[in-house]
Amino acid sequence: MSSIILAVPSTEQNYAADIIRQLPADEVVALNIDEQQTFMSLQRETLTSYTKGTAILLPDGNEHAASPKHIDLLRQQLNSYGWYTLAIMPPTLPVELNEKSLDSYQQALLQRLNAAQKQAQLHSGVTIIIAQGTSAALLNQLFSTNQLAEPAAFIMLGAFLPEATLNRNIAKALATHQVPTLDISSQQDNVMVTSQLKLRRQLANKHLKALYRQRLVNGSGYNADVQQWVFQEIYGWLGSVGL
């Protein structure tokens, strides 16, 4: 008797199936990387008579495009303030996180961000990017190496990399690109986040990074009150930089 081997769906595929069941069909859009590769994203149109632009939202690699940790609230609430929102499904994080696997993962993120930025060009206004966790740290590096088109603003939520040397390099990358950056973290974030906040401020000052603000909030990113607090921080900072 021959055996039958069944393919095990990836974490990303499982997340996508759940989202399709739960969200309206007009919010789900497939973006093309190339002729053979697509990925899921979630779009919502602005609810105002004007359009400021597109807010691209990228959750951490272990979350999904409708992540209850900040991303889902932001993708819905920003619509009321003039933003078309596009939340991206990240690739599945590698099981072993090291410099080699993170480099491959970063290139996968780059492909998805390039596709998202093309989608943003179909809408008027500027593009901002809000990214979380490891995803935020890797995009920060892509800006510093000029591999990714710079947005009008970049918001990092709990940015970190899971290796000490790579994690310290976040501060160096942050200081050497001039994308206006809001760096939000929580006192409940892991030590890889909180241990580097002072160095980020120091290097941003050393390199005269013109628009860098750091905010530390208290509480879990899954808590509704904390999410509103973070939203207000983002909204207020965007206004302060003219967006």
Side-chain angles (χ1 to χ4, degrees):
M1 181 182 295
S2 61
S3 60
I4 298 175
I5 300 174
L6 298 178
V8 178
S10 68
T11 300
E12 180 182 351
Q13 290 170 328
N14 287 332
Y15 279 149
D18 288 342
I19 287 172
I20 289 171
R21 285 195 296 268
Q22 296 177 39
L23 294 182
D26 62 353
E27 290 189 15
V28 180
V29 58
L31 297 183
N32 297 320
I33 294 173
D34 53 35
E35 293 182 356
Q36 295 181 329
Q37 298 181 79
T38 64
F39 64 95
M40 172 188 282
S41 62
L42 301 176
Q43 66 175 356
R44 283 176 60 93
E45 299 290 340
T46 179
L47 297 175
T48 56
S49 59
Y50 58 91
T51 301
K52 290 185 176 181
T54 298
I56 297 174
L57 300 123
L58 179 63
D60 197 1
N62 56 9
E63 297 282 343
H64 54 78
S67 169
K69 187 176 183 181
H70 294 301
I71 298 299
D72 200 45
L73 179 138
L74 290 169
R75 79 175 189 90
Q76 296 185 61
Q77 206 154 329
L78 285 166
N79 304 138
S80 298
Y81 295 85
W83 296 96
Y84 164 75
T85 58
L86 186 66
I88 299 172
M89 184 76 79
T92 302
L93 270 175
V95 175
E96 291 189 23
L97 293 174
N98 51 47
E99 187 170 359
K100 183 178 180 180
S101 66
L102 282 170
D103 183 63
S104 297
Y105 186 74
Q106 185 181 52
Q107 292 306 304
L109 284 179
L110 176 59
Q111 291 179 320
R112 296 193 181 201
L113 263 294
N114 284 336
Q117 288 181 327
K118 288 181 181 178
Q119 177 74 7
Q121 291 171 3
L122 302 177
H123 297 77
S124 60
V126 300
T127 298
I128 65 173
I129 297 177
I130 303 172
Q132 191 176 61
T134 300
S135 297
L138 293 174
L139 293 196
N140 177 62
Q141 291 179 338
L142 290 171
F143 294 137
S144 72
T145 54
N146 299 312
Q147 295 182 67
L148 182 63
E150 294 185 351
F154 179 43
I155 296 97
M156 303 195 304
L157 303 174
F160 77 99
L161 289 172
E163 195 278 324
T165 300
L166 296 176
N167 199 48
R168 286 193 295 274
N169 288 339
I170 294 173
K172 297 176 184 178
L174 178 65
T176 53
H177 69 72
Q178 291 303 313
V179 181
T181 305
L182 175 61
D183 185 2
I184 299 178
S185 55
S186 166
Q187 291 176 348
Q188 294 188 11
D189 283 335
N190 67 60
V191 69
M192 302 297 275
V193 178
T194 56
S195 65
Q196 296 302 304
L197 298 180
K198 182 178 179 180
L199 180 61
R200 292 180 198 176
R201 287 195 304 270
Q202 290 171 330
L203 291 188
N205 290 335
K206 177 181 178 179
H207 289 270
L208 303 176
K209 187 176 176 72
L211 294 173
Y212 174 68
R213 182 181 294 178
Q214 199 174 93
R215 286 289 182 264
L216 182 64
V217 301
N218 188 24
S220 169
Y222 295 101
N223 179 276
D225 291 339
V226 174
Q227 291 179 20
Q228 283 296 332
W229 183 0
V230 167
F231 173 80
Q232 292 299 328
E233 290 285 356
I234 293 173
Y235 177 72
W237 179 76
L238 288 173
S240 75
V241 297
L243 297 175

